Each structure stands twice: as C-alpha cells, then as structure tokens.
C-alpha cells in the first residue's frame, strides 16, 4: 500500500440508505452498515438495478452441507437479511445502522415480539439503566416504548393475537435493582408506566449482571408457570461493572430458554473506556463509564504515538461491549447499537467500513475457552499480558539539541536527556519483552483479528523500544566523544531517521523488526483500524541520526 492515510479528521456522516436487518441472526458489530472511514479507498461507482423476483421453481435443489460451528458463530455477528423485505441494506430510505437511534432500535424489536407471540405467549422484561449517563438513552427508550405499546393498544397485537399473549415487566437498575412494573397484560397500564419518569441512580454504578441474575430468578418461574417465551431487553450505555458474571448469567438464561437483546453504544476498540471525559462520576471514586472492550479482554497495547497530534487513538469498534455482546450472542438475541448525537462517545470517533470489519468479529468464548486459547499459543498469551500493562507515553518531544560550550555542561545536558529514556525503558520492555518471546508462535494464529492485533502490538512495541533505547544509545555515543566535521559548528542535533546503524546492530535489528511487522499489518489487513494505527506509527521515523550545525 503506497498511499498514506490522511491526517485524523472525521467527515460528516450524511445519510446512508439501508433496509432493516434480521435480528435473530446477529449479535455485535451493531448493524454492520457502511462505516464512515476516512482511510478507505473509494469503491467504484455501480448503478443499482431493480429486478423482479424470479418465479418459484417446482423443485428445491438438494440440501447443501450445513455450516461449520465457527461459521455459525460468525454469522451471529453479521446481519445479512432484511426483516422488512429486500436483500440490500443500501437501496432506499434511512439507514438505522450508521446512526441508529434508540427509538429506531426499539421499533426493530416489534418484529421480534411479533415472531415470539406467534410462537407462544410471551413475557418481555425491559431492563433499563437508571444512571445519569444513560438519561438520554432512557428518555428515548421511554418515548419509543410508549409509542410501541400505544400502537398495540390501538391496533391490537401483531397477527391478531389476544392481549394476554404479551405480558410486560419493567426493571430499573444501577447500584440496585428496582422492579417498576410487575408482569401485566394490561396494555394501558404498560403505556402509563413506560411513559412516566424513571428514578435516577446517582451512584454511577451499573450492576448489570446482578440485575439480570435477579430478573431470571424472579421472572423465570413465571415464564415456566404460564408456559411463556421470555424476552429480556437491556437498555444501557455501559458494559456492566460486574461483567465478569456474564458466563454464569448466560448459563442461567439458556437454562430458562430466555433470549436476551441489548440496546447500547459501541465499544471503543480495545479499550475499557474511551479517552473522552466520562459523563458521570461514581460515588465510590472508582473510574466511571465502563464501555468496552469489544473482546473479553483487551487485545490492544496502550501506547501513545510519537507523532502526537489530536485524536486518532479512539476508534468505534462497530461491536458492543463484550459482556452484552456475548450474552446476546449466546442466547440467540442481538446487540443493537445506538449512536446518540449528543453523547460524547462515540461522537465523531473514527469508524471503518462494514464490509471490512465484519471479517474481524470478536471471538465469543467462555472464560475457560479464552484461557485455553492463551495457554496453547505463546503469542496470544504474550499479547494478553502486554495489553494488560499500563499506558506507555511516547517520546514525543525529547531533548534533541545540544550546544557544545564545555564538557561539563554537555555532560549535564546529556545526563538529563537520558533520564527521559531511562524512565520509559522499563515500561516499554514490559510490553515488548513478552511479545518478542511469543513471536515463535505467531504463525500458529489463525483468527484474523488476533493476527492483526498481535502484529500491530509487536510492531508498535518494537518501534517504541528502538526509539527509546536508540535515543539513549545515541546520547551515550555523543557523551563518549564526537568531533564536528566542520570546525565552525558547535551544536549537535539528534534527528529522527530511518536507521539505527550508528547505535549498533542490535537496535537496528529491532528497528527492522518494527518496520516488518507494521508493514505486514498494512499489507494483510488493509483499511482496518490496525492498518491505520500501523500507518500512524510509521509517520515518525523509528531511528535516529546526528546532524551538526
């Protein structure tokens, strides 16, 4: 790839055409619609045509072999069919995928409700986040739910089903769980309840999975006693502070035969929380707004870029936070992404093309399965270890100009500059060392997301090590004595360069390793967030050279 990515800026999204997409088949990657990616090449323009449906054939073709388990798992991440007819998401009308509102996503559940009550009487439990940060989402849900049930009250339930075919309960949660509406088939009562103001929880805590556990314990027996289907819909802008309970809660949901849906915001790629300021605080002083990552544990090293600049580190992953994505995936529900215009996250964060990102779904593995993957591959274990380290600063503006007035002053200046590298060196090594040690198992990785994540991590860590250690070594060389080629010069300047040969063969080898892995990401994973980060890392030369003035 010879082109450079443009500097970080987000274009206005505009209107993207789409038909709505099947819910049951999917969890994660939001609606998987066309993302606004400023890095992607523009596709060739094609003229859409409309063709009449072909006549039905008298005999169906022979059945093909069923898909593999892996293919089935990936399909649950990708919406490919429309729930309102048609097969193209880019034909006409407004796209609910690019910037779906909570109201639009609530309306999409109308089809799921219709399908469920057509099969059997159904109990739906709305589980709504009552914390401050979710106030807009909560209000939008209230408006949409009131409209949904008012429509049922006026026009009857879908398919002409009797009113007792649908029972509704409403639960609010934050630090505590509050049942606002016991199960009822009284539609006017539901309209009244969902349209009233919710209590606000100011704790900033989201005990999402403790609430879901209580929901299943409370409403599961009702489901069984009344022989109803059980649909649970979580409305929240976070992942849940107690997300580690997800495996147990998922098992309980499946034991009951419950399907779980979630309406929420996308996770920041590889991060628990984005860099934007949180919209609430917690009463216990702990960090608020846990909104990611999209994988069970982060697979992204937390390193700043030497190129500096504003923005570019946060990327809209296109998938919900792992906890709710996993739960909805494993219960045959769906995670429906809402991107609120007034919310700081995801706001105008960078987004990437759907057709590309659908090739990189998170692996929805249990805790035991995830740990087994790490145990059997040293590269994956190294990536996991490196991604758990704290944030590493970049050498964005290190001291680079040294005036030779006398040896004592030069030595003091060089000693001070070397302290910068000495402070960063152990932090960089804590990330680089395990990744380099696990390199022998790199070629055993088969999952595209893990391939891209490992290669980017090792490339960036090697670049940071080459820059940091190279800077320190180049200063040591000057400290050991270096003569000006031009006697009239009295200043040495350390400049970024695509070489570290003067610093020694070991560091030059590390620089070349960084270059190899970063370029590999760009080549093998084009137009992805990983390629973007690799390009951004390469914006600054990895080596150093001395220039005299």
């Amino acid at each position: 790839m010879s082109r450079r990515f443009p500097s970080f800026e987000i274009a206005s999204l505009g209107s993207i055409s789409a038909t709505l997409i099947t819910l049951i088949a999917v969890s994660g990657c939001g609606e998987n619609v066309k993302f606004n990616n400023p890095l992607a090449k523009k596709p060739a323009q094609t003229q859409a045509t409309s063709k009449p449906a072909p006549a039905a054939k008298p005999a169906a073709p022979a059945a093909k072999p069923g898909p593999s388990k892996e293919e089935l798992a990936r399909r649950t991440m990708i919406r490919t069919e429309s729930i309102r007819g048609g097969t193209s998401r880019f034909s006409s009308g407004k796209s609910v995928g690019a910037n779906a509102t909570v109201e639009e996503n609530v309306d999409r559940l109308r089809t799921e409700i219709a399908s469920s009550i057509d099969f059997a009487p159904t109990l739906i439990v709305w589980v709504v986040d009552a914390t401050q940060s979710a106030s807009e989402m909560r209000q939008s849900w209230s408006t949409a739910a009131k409209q949904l049930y008012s429509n049922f009250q006026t026009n009857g339930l879908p398919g002409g089903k009797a009113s007792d075919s649908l029972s509704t309960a409403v639960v609010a949660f934050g630090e505590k769980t509050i049942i606002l509406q016991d199960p009822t088939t009284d539609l006017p009562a539901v309209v009244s309840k969902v349209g009233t103001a919710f209590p606000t929880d100011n704790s900033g805590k989201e005990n999402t999975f403790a609430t879901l556990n209580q929901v299943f314990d409370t409403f599961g027996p009702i489901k069984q006693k009344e022989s109803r289907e059980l649909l649970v819909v979580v409305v929240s802008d976070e992942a849940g502070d107690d997300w580690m309970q997800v495996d147990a809660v998922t098992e309980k949901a499946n034991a009951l035969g419950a399907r779980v849906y979630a309406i929420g915001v996308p996770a920041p790629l590889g991060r628990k929380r984005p860099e934007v300021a949180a919209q609430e605080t917690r009463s216990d002083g702990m960090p608020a707004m846990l909104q990611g990552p999209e994988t069970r544990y982060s697979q992204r090293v937390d390193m700043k870029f030497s190129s500096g600049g504003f923005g570019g580190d946060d990327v809209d992953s296109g998938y919900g936070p792992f906890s709710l994505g996993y739960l909805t995936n494993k219960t045959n529900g769906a995670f429906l992404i809402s991107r609120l215009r007034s919310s700081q996250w995801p706001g105008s964060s960078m987004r990437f093309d759907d057709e590309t990102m659908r090739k990189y779904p998170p692996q929805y593995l249990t805790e035991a399965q995830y740990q087994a993957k790490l145990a059997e591959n040293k590269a994956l274990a190294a990536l996991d270890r490196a991604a758990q380290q704290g944030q590493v600063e970049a050498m964005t503006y290190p001291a680079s100009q040294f005036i030779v007035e006398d040896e004592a002053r030069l030595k003091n200046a060089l000693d001070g500059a070397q302290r910068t590298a000495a402070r960063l060196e152990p932090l960089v090594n804590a990330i680089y060392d395990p990744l380099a040690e696990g390199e022998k198992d790199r070629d055993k990785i088969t999952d595209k997301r893990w391939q891209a994540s490992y290669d980017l991590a090792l490339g960036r860590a090697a670049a940071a090590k080459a820059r940091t250690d190279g800077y320190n070594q180049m200063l040591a060389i000057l400290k050991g004595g270096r003569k000006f080629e031009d006697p009239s010069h009295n200043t040495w300047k350390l400049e970024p360069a695509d070489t570290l040969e003067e610093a020694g063969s070991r560091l030059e080898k590390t620089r070349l390793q960084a270059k190899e892995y970063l370029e590999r990401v760009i080549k093998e994973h084009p137009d992805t967030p990983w390629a973007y980060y690799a390009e951004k890392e390469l914006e600054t030369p990895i080596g150093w050279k001395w220039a005299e003035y």
Side-chain angles (χ1 to χ4, degrees):
M1 176 182 283
S2 60
R3 65 186 177 86
R4 284 279 187 180
F5 291 138
S7 60
F8 177 70
E9 58 182 317
I10 304 298
S12 60
L13 293 173
S15 175
I16 307 173
S17 298
T19 54
L20 300 177
I21 308 162
T22 300
L23 290 167
I24 292 180
V26 178
S27 175
C29 205
E31 321 314 325
N32 273 318
V33 297
K34 199 75 173 177
F35 288 177
N36 176 26
N37 175 12
L39 313 179
K41 296 178 180 178
K42 293 184 178 179
Q45 296 295 318
T46 58
Q47 184 66 37
T49 59
S50 177
K51 297 181 179 179
K57 296 182 179 180
K64 295 181 179 180
S68 66
K69 290 183 178 180
E70 182 179 13
E71 176 63 19
L72 285 173
R74 288 178 181 273
R75 282 183 187 178
T76 61
M77 304 295 299
I78 304 166
R79 291 181 171 80
T80 57
E81 300 172 7
S82 167
I83 59 178
R84 293 190 180 178
T87 57
S88 172
R89 290 169 293 150
F90 312 109
S91 54
S92 62
K94 182 180 179 183
S95 163
V96 299
N99 284 296
T101 64
V102 174
E103 290 91 341
E104 287 168 324
N105 282 329
V106 169
D107 188 63
R108 297 182 70 192
L109 290 171
R110 181 191 304 267
T111 301
E112 291 307 296
I113 295 172
S115 176
S116 185
I117 63 176
D118 184 60
F119 177 75
T122 297
L123 168 59
I124 182 169
V125 183
W126 299 92
V127 182
V128 185
D129 190 337
T131 60
Q132 278 186 320
S133 66
S135 58
E136 180 186 353
M137 179 169 278
R138 188 166 57 250
Q139 181 57 51
S140 296
W141 169 82
S142 178
T143 300
K146 183 176 181 180
Q147 181 176 349
L148 178 69
Y149 282 94
S150 295
N151 181 273
F152 290 160
Q153 183 181 353
T154 302
N155 301 317
L157 294 179
K161 294 293 182 179
S163 60
D164 62 359
S165 295
L166 179 63
S167 181
T168 300
V170 183
V171 174
F173 76 96
E175 184 175 16
K176 298 179 180 179
T177 303
I178 304 173
I179 297 177
L180 299 178
Q181 174 67 67
D182 289 321
T184 180
T185 59
D186 185 347
L187 292 174
V190 176
V191 171
S192 175
K193 179 56 65 177
V194 300
T196 58
F198 266 48
T200 300
D201 185 318
N202 294 315
S203 70
K205 301 177 184 179
E206 277 86 3
N207 291 322
T208 310
F209 290 88
T211 295
L212 287 168
N213 194 58
Q214 185 174 336
V215 164
F216 294 134
D217 285 345
T218 301
F219 301 108
I222 297 174
K223 168 202 182 313
Q224 295 171 332
K225 181 180 178 181
E226 299 182 1
S227 299
R228 290 182 179 271
E229 290 290 289
L230 177 58
L231 304 184
V232 177
V233 184
V234 181
V235 182
S236 178
D237 64 339
E238 297 197 43
D241 298 328
D242 55 351
W243 73 271
M244 287 295 289
Q245 297 182 33
V246 64
D247 289 321
V249 170
T250 301
E251 286 183 13
K252 182 172 286 190
N254 283 328
L256 286 170
R259 289 207 309 278
V260 183
Y261 297 84
I263 297 174
V265 298
L269 185 82
R271 287 185 167 167
K272 292 182 178 180
R273 49 187 62 83
E275 289 195 335
V276 297
Q279 294 175 270
E280 65 185 9
T281 57
R282 285 180 50 139
S283 58
D284 59 5
M286 297 293 289
M289 300 297 290
L290 182 67
Q291 295 180 298
E294 77 285 7
T295 48
R296 182 173 280 271
Y297 299 104
S298 176
Q299 296 167 3
R300 174 184 172 188
V301 296
D302 195 358
M303 305 180 76
K304 288 293 186 182
F305 289 94
S306 295
S307 57
F310 176 79
D313 283 7
D314 276 340
V315 164
D316 177 335
S317 70
Y319 292 86
F322 175 85
S323 55
L324 291 172
Y326 175 89
L327 175 61
T328 57
N329 175 277
K330 294 303 181 182
T331 59
N332 294 316
F335 188 99
L336 304 178
I337 285 181
S338 298
R339 294 184 173 93
L340 308 178
R341 291 178 178 83
S342 63
S343 176
Q344 289 179 289
W345 173 259
S348 59
S349 63
M350 185 174 289
R351 295 160 63 182
F352 287 79
D353 181 78
D354 165 62
E355 294 302 318
T356 299
M357 291 305 293
R358 69 170 55 200
K359 300 173 185 176
Y360 297 83
Q363 287 198 351
Y364 285 137
L365 306 173
T366 65
E367 175 71 17
Q369 290 170 334
Y370 194 91
Q371 294 304 326
K373 287 282 188 182
L374 302 185
E376 68 188 21
N377 188 291
K378 291 182 174 59
L380 295 182
L383 176 62
D384 179 72
R385 178 181 166 188
Q388 307 312 316
Q389 301 300 316
Q391 188 180 81
V392 177
E393 299 174 30
M395 295 183 63
T396 309
Y397 301 110
S400 60
Q401 188 164 299
F402 303 92
I403 301 175
V404 182
E405 296 176 330
D406 58 64
E407 282 193 22
R409 289 186 181 182
L410 177 61
K411 182 180 183 302
N412 286 338
L414 292 171
D415 285 344
Q418 282 185 301
R419 282 194 285 272
T420 298
R423 179 176 59 82
L424 290 177
E425 183 177 353
L427 303 177
V428 172
N429 287 341
I431 290 178
Y432 175 79
D433 289 346
L435 289 168
E437 185 178 344
E439 187 179 11
K440 61 179 70 73
D441 276 1
R442 159 59 182 84
D443 291 340
K444 298 177 184 178
I445 302 175
T446 57
D447 179 78
K448 290 177 67 68
R449 173 182 278 266
W450 257 331
Q451 286 175 349
S453 297
Y454 177 82
D455 289 353
L456 176 66
L458 180 54
R460 292 203 62 206
K465 182 173 180 62
R467 289 193 188 101
T468 303
D469 291 0
Y471 178 82
N472 191 35
Q473 182 61 23
M474 293 294 277
L475 296 181
I477 290 172
L478 183 58
K479 189 186 293 185
R482 185 185 182 92
K483 294 183 178 180
F484 293 107
E485 292 184 6
D486 186 336
S488 66
H489 292 164
N490 72 337
T491 301
W492 291 106
K493 186 174 182 182
L494 191 58
E495 298 177 343
D498 290 318
T499 180
L500 273 174
E501 290 184 356
E502 187 174 353
S505 60
R506 179 183 62 85
L507 288 175
E508 175 64 7
K509 183 178 178 180
T510 303
R511 184 190 74 83
L512 292 174
Q513 181 187 39
K515 187 171 181 288
E516 175 190 354
Y517 272 87
L518 294 170
E519 290 180 346
R520 181 179 188 175
V521 172
I522 295 167
K523 178 181 178 181
E524 297 183 1
H525 309 282
D527 302 322
T528 66
W530 299 277
Y532 163 69
Y533 289 134
E535 284 276 1
K536 190 174 177 66
E537 189 67 69
L538 288 170
E539 285 178 0
T540 302
I542 296 174
W544 302 98
K545 68 176 182 180
W546 282 114
E548 61 179 66
Y549 298 91

